[in-house]
């Protein structure tokens, strides 16, 4: 059963008043920002963690079969067959992307925009030239798409490159279909671009949609690709860093493992391994219920905005629990009213709703906010009602 948990005063960054104040100027705003859910993890995870804690000691762990549990999961959830030689158990997606970037020196990085900001931070921290690849945006439809002509132009620029692909896409919630992946792979193959496919949100693909792991397409097309997956978003266990990295190329896999060993980064903590193992083995039915619930939440938001708050346009997601709200009309209303306030502070202060600001995902997204709907319907509806009231209060 999907159950919301009250998280104030639980060492959650999402609920940290100082962090919320920094974000939107109101420490008491209700958080709809950081990408974790307010919904309880599967019982299987709780039981395994409680049993571990009840032992009353926390020594070095050894997990048998973590890689196999991941492989079985990917077969069950995505009908994708992997073997042990394709996979390395890893200490988190961002750490793994950073390591892989380190291992491919001198390559520029292509980043689809809007982008999860840590992608940009990693590329910058490694001194890489960044090529922004803006997604096309259809304001009428409220939909983001891949712009292949733009990718081809960027790919053809001088210099060797990596593509940081995000599939499904954060923040738009788009699930890329097989044809879109094939077209992306075709261009990358033509220009010898290595694809990093961050698929952290893939298990949360809605029941009405289908996720194709990039690995499958890359394998068929003989393109080098590294796929990053994790149970963290799936089962709401992101505080326990753990991921799995999948390789099409054995020598790259070897280099990755060696680097983790060299930097002493490869060890999985007792609690993260325990939670991951329990979720992969016993979390499937829970996840099926959750994805149906999240798709329902998305429909609820879409209906509310369409009928009651048409000044805010919903970017209909196809996966996960975050999406963009297009607030361009509200921004214009604020400007016309002579109010010198950005959207995140406006809704934070006037509606007590804390969301991520569009510019966090790149220049040019000042009209957008990212809304996290990984909570129960009542809290979503109450937040939307407060937003409606705030918008109605803008003098015309
Ligand atoms: C696209 C994407 N990649 C990576 C992460 C973080 O992954 P990790 O905590 O495993 O480093 C997030 C978290 O929001 C994310 O949305």
């Amino acid at each position: 059963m999907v159950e919301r948990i009250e998280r104030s005063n639980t060492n959650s960054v999402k609920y940290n008043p100082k962090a919320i104040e920094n974000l939107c100027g109101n420490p008491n705003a209700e958080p709809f920002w950081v990408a974790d859910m307010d919904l309880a993890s599967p019982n299987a995870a709780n039981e395994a963690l409680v049993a571990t804690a009840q032992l009353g000691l926390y020594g070095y762990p050894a997990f048998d079969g973590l890689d196999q549990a991941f492989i079985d999961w990917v077969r069950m959830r995505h009908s994708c067959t992997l073997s042990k030689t394709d996979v390395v158990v890893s200490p988190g997606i961002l750490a793994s992307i950073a390591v892989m970037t380190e291992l491919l020196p001198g390559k520029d990085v292509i980043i689809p925009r809007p982008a999860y900001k840590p992608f940009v931070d990693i590329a910058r921290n490694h001194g890489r030239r960044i090529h922004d690849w803006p997604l096309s945006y259809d304001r009428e439809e409220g939909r983001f798409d891949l712009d292949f002509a733009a990718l081809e132009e960027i790919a053809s620029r001088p210099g060797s490159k990596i593509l940081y692909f995000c599939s499904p896409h954060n923040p738009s919630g788009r699930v890329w279909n097989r044809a879109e992946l094939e077209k992306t792979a075709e261009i990358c193959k033509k220009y010898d671009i290595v694809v990093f496919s961050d698929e952290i949100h893939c298990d949360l693909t809605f029941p009405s949609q289908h996720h194709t792991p990039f690995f499958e397409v890359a394998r068929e097309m003989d393109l080098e690709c590294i796929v990053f997956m994790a149970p963290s978003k799936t089962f709401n266990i992101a505080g326990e860093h753990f991921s799995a990295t999948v390789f099409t190329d054995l020598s790259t896999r070897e280099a990755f493992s060696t680097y983790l060993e060299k930097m002493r980064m490869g060890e999985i903590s007792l609690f993260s391994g325990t939670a991951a193992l329990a979720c992969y083995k016993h979390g499937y039915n829970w996840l099926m219920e959750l994805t149906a619930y999240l798709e329902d939440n998305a429909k609820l938001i879409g209906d509310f905005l369409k009928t009651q708050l048409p000044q805010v346009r919903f970017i209909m997601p196809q996966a996960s629990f975050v999406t963009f709200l297009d607030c361009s009309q509200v921004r214009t209303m604020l400007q016309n009213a002579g109010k010198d306030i950005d959207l995140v502070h406006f809704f934070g202060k006037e509606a007590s709703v804390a969301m991520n600001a569009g510019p966090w995902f790149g220049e040019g997204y000042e009209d957008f906010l990212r809304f996290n709907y990984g909570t129960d319907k009542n809290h979503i509806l109450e937040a939307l009602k407060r937003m409606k009231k705030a918008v109605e209060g803008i003098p015309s």
Side-chain angles (χ1 to χ4, degrees):
M1 203 187 72
V2 176
E3 179 203 353
R4 180 182 182 276
I5 295 196
E6 180 51 53
R7 301 174 68 195
S8 302
N9 304 312
T10 61
N11 296 329
S12 148
V13 64
K14 187 176 176 183
Y15 279 79
N16 184 290
K18 271 206 188 97
I20 297 172
E21 183 169 24
N22 281 342
L23 178 78
C24 70
N26 175 8
N28 301 315
E30 191 178 1
F32 291 86
W33 63 309
V34 173
D36 59 27
M37 297 182 277
D38 294 343
L39 305 171
S41 297
N43 264 340
N46 302 333
E47 282 163 12
L49 290 169
V50 167
T52 300
Q54 269 173 346
L55 274 181
L57 62 84
Y58 308 94
Y60 295 117
F63 295 103
D64 284 331
L66 254 181
D67 50 358
Q68 191 59 49
F70 169 73
I71 288 166
D72 293 345
W73 173 261
V74 173
R75 191 184 311 112
M76 181 162 61
R77 179 71 182 107
H78 303 291
S79 311
C80 175
T81 306
L82 302 172
S83 68
K84 282 196 183 183
T85 49
D86 301 323
V87 176
V88 176
V89 163
S90 325
I93 299 255
L94 292 178
S96 304
I97 292 177
V99 166
M100 270 317 307
T101 304
E102 180 84 19
L103 289 172
L104 296 173
K107 286 193 187 289
D108 294 356
V109 178
I110 305 173
I111 304 184
R113 294 295 197 139
Y116 176 61
K117 184 173 173 288
F119 289 168
V120 178
D121 298 338
I122 291 174
R124 280 207 185 116
N125 291 342
H126 284 80
R128 302 309 170 84
R129 189 147 64 111
I130 295 173
H131 301 267
D132 283 339
W133 174 24
L135 302 183
S136 59
Y137 176 56
D138 182 331
R139 179 154 274 153
E140 280 317 300
E141 291 289 317
R143 182 186 160 99
F144 283 90
D145 275 292
L146 298 171
D147 180 343
F148 295 112
L151 178 60
E152 178 105 30
E153 186 278 314
I154 293 162
S156 67
R157 292 175 194 164
S160 66
K161 302 176 195 73
I162 302 165
L163 166 63
Y164 284 1
F165 200 61
C166 190
S167 173
H169 182 250
N170 174 9
S172 73
R174 271 298 314 275
V175 170
W176 310 119
N177 63 36
R178 185 172 253 277
E180 289 167 315
L181 299 184
E182 283 173 358
K183 186 74 194 154
T184 305
E186 197 183 296
I187 296 170
C188 290
K189 172 99 181 146
K190 181 170 162 193
Y191 294 95
D192 206 15
I193 292 167
V194 180
V195 177
F196 290 10
S197 186
D198 177 339
E199 303 187 10
I200 193 169
H201 294 279
C202 71
D203 295 329
L204 292 164
T205 297
F206 291 168
S208 65
Q209 306 293 325
H210 178 76
H211 170 78
T212 304
F214 206 102
F215 183 80
E216 285 197 347
V217 172
R219 191 159 49 181
E220 279 165 23
M221 294 175 70
D222 195 22
L223 166 75
E224 170 142 32
C225 152
I226 298 113
V227 173
F228 305 86
M229 290 185 174
S232 45
K233 303 288 164 190
T234 317
F235 302 107
N236 213 15
I237 54 173
E240 288 301 319
H241 288 275
F242 174 91
S243 64
T245 311
V246 185
F247 298 84
T248 53
D249 185 284
L250 265 183
S251 60
T252 309
R253 178 192 188 275
E254 195 55 36
F256 181 80
S257 292
T258 306
Y259 189 91
L260 291 187
E261 220 170 287
K262 178 174 134 196
M263 302 306 280
R264 312 295 308 188
M265 286 173 73
E267 275 142 41
I268 302 302
S269 78
L270 174 63
F271 280 93
S272 66
T274 301
L277 204 52
C279 288
Y280 278 147
K281 284 193 165 168
H282 308 293
Y284 189 81
N285 292 341
W286 176 93
L287 181 66
M288 292 302 102
E289 197 183 331
L290 176 77
T291 50
Y293 189 82
L294 293 175
E295 182 160 23
D296 239 39
N297 280 1
K299 284 186 191 140
L300 175 91
I301 302 166
D303 288 346
F304 184 97
L305 295 180
K306 204 168 179 182
T307 55
Q308 302 200 46
L309 183 49
Q311 299 89 337
V312 176
R313 189 176 290 274
F314 188 49
I315 310 303
M316 183 62 190
Q318 298 170 324
S320 207
F321 51 87
V322 287
T323 194
F324 256 178
L325 305 180
D326 178 341
C327 304
S328 45
Q329 229 177 301
V330 177
R331 203 160 156 242
T332 307
M333 288 166 74
L334 289 168
Q335 282 161 357
N336 290 345
K339 301 232 177 231
D340 183 21
I341 189 165
D342 60 26
L343 291 165
V344 75
H345 284 83
F346 171 71
F347 283 114
K349 289 180 173 172
E350 302 299 326
S352 235
V353 176
M355 295 173 275
N356 291 97
W360 196 76
F361 302 88
E363 219 178 287
Y365 297 101
E366 291 74 13
D367 284 343
F368 295 88
L369 290 166
R370 192 187 71 173
F371 185 77
N372 176 341
Y373 54 91
T375 185
D376 71 359
K377 293 189 172 47
N378 274 347
H379 283 78
I380 293 172
L381 267 179
E382 288 308 312
L384 293 174
K385 283 183 202 163
R386 294 198 301 275
M387 288 169 68
K388 173 179 158 73
K389 200 163 164 217
V391 172
E392 286 170 352
I394 303 172
S396 53

